[in-house]
Amino acid sequence: MTVEIKDMSLDNVGTGRVEVRVYQGAEYAKGPPVLIYFQGGAFRHTGLTACPMAECLAGQGAIVVVPDYNVQGSVFPKPLEVGFSVFSYMAKKRAGFGDRKSLLIIGGEEAGGNLATAVALKARDHFANELDGQVLASPLLDPFMGSSSSRNAGCIGMRERWAEGWSHYMSGGMCHPYAAPSLCSRLAGIAPALVLSSEDDPLLDETMSYAKRLEAAGVKVKKHILPAGSGWPSVYGGKTGETPDWQESVGGQFAEFVRDISIH
């Protein structure tokens, strides 16, 4: 499906104007799912840049809205305040995206995946009936970076970047569960999740550990681990030396996930 891309401003968001990039399939159906998607960038990403994941999921018929969530600052809780305000704004009749029948989904990759988990947790606490699902693509969740797979981050040039990113994000002096979701002890009641990673992803262990904890809390989870060599770590800036070919598989998983949450 051809994907149309346009930049625009959301002027009525509670935290102030937020610039967004919208990815929309040219032939999307009536009532398309609306996905708010947060890019990665080790907690430092600003501005609107190309987002291969957003384009991939828009190709499955979704309207994907990618906000510049660090517009107010990149130290917790500022990104969460912006991200949750965008979610709250979109929850009101989808703010002109899709229609009232459209599913509302939150998602993100790497540091953006961290923000997506935090928005999902906060939505559970404040807008429990408004969020239909979450898409977590190798979310960066553990500030201690203590998993076995995370040791491989050095070989793709990410470990130092992530360590510096965590130090920056937490420099406000807060270690809240919304900031470090791997430390959250209360996961019941949040939206169903599609959790994605790959066999050669340094974030594989913390991603799958979080997925298991969601399942143990009674959350519906769909997991998919891509094979090594699919180029997956490139989605968040990791250098794999391979041409990414994860799009078709991830697109199919997303389409199945949307169908599943549509009938429940």
Side-chain angles (χ1 to χ4, degrees):
M1 181 186 295
T2 302
V3 175
E4 299 175 349
I5 304 172
K6 62 181 178 181
D7 293 345
M8 60 184 296
S9 298
L10 301 182
D11 296 322
N12 297 315
V13 175
T15 52
R17 176 182 294 182
V18 177
E19 302 299 319
V20 300
R21 179 162 291 173
V22 180
Y23 296 75
Q24 181 173 300
E27 301 176 3
Y28 68 90
K30 184 177 181 180
V34 176
L35 169 64
I36 304 168
Y37 192 81
F38 303 114
Q39 289 183 264
F43 299 107
R44 298 293 190 99
H45 177 83
T46 58
L48 299 173
T49 56
C51 184
M53 178 65 81
E55 187 166 359
C56 170
L57 302 184
Q60 296 296 321
I63 297 176
V64 185
V65 180
V66 181
D68 180 11
Y69 58 85
N70 280 340
V71 65
Q72 302 285 342
S74 54
V75 175
F76 182 84
K78 290 297 184 182
L80 175 58
E81 290 172 353
V82 173
F84 189 74
S85 291
V86 171
F87 162 73
S88 302
Y89 175 74
M90 300 286 285
K92 298 174 182 177
K93 300 181 181 179
R94 304 302 176 258
F97 298 95
D99 58 39
R100 293 185 180 183
K101 294 183 178 180
S102 293
L103 297 172
L104 182 59
I105 305 170
I106 203 82
E109 67 208 31
E110 196 232 25
N114 174 298
L115 184 55
T117 63
V119 171
L121 287 165
K122 194 169 182 179
R124 184 263 324 264
D125 297 337
H126 298 278
F127 285 92
N129 296 321
E130 298 297 332
L131 184 62
D132 297 299
Q134 52 181 322
V135 178
L136 306 179
S138 296
L140 193 57
L141 304 174
D142 180 12
F144 302 107
M145 298 173 59
S147 71
S148 296
S149 67
S150 69
R151 300 191 188 101
N152 295 325
C155 68
I156 61 170
M158 298 300 293
R159 189 169 182 83
E160 183 176 344
R161 185 184 182 204
W162 284 336
E164 291 175 351
W166 272 116
S167 179
H168 171 77
Y169 190 56
M170 308 286 274
S171 62
M174 300 179 69
C175 190
H176 193 282
Y178 289 168
S182 66
L183 305 179
C184 183
S185 61
R186 191 170 67 90
L187 298 176
I190 63 177
L194 170 62
V195 182
L196 304 164
S197 188
S198 72
E199 292 175 348
D200 54 351
D201 187 350
L203 296 177
L204 172 63
D205 288 351
E206 63 190 81
T207 298
M208 290 301 115
S209 175
Y210 189 70
K212 290 179 182 178
R213 292 182 60 224
L214 289 176
E215 290 177 319
V219 178
K220 294 180 180 178
V221 179
K222 180 178 177 61
K223 296 176 288 190
H224 183 64
I225 301 175
L226 291 149
S230 64
W232 173 255
S234 67
V235 76
Y236 54 69
K239 297 177 181 179
T240 64
E242 301 284 346
T243 300
D245 58 4
W246 48 262
Q247 290 92 337
E248 183 176 355
S249 177
V250 167
Q253 292 293 319
F254 177 72
E256 289 183 13
F257 176 67
V258 169
R259 286 195 293 269
D260 288 345
I261 62 177
S262 295
I263 61 178
H264 290 95

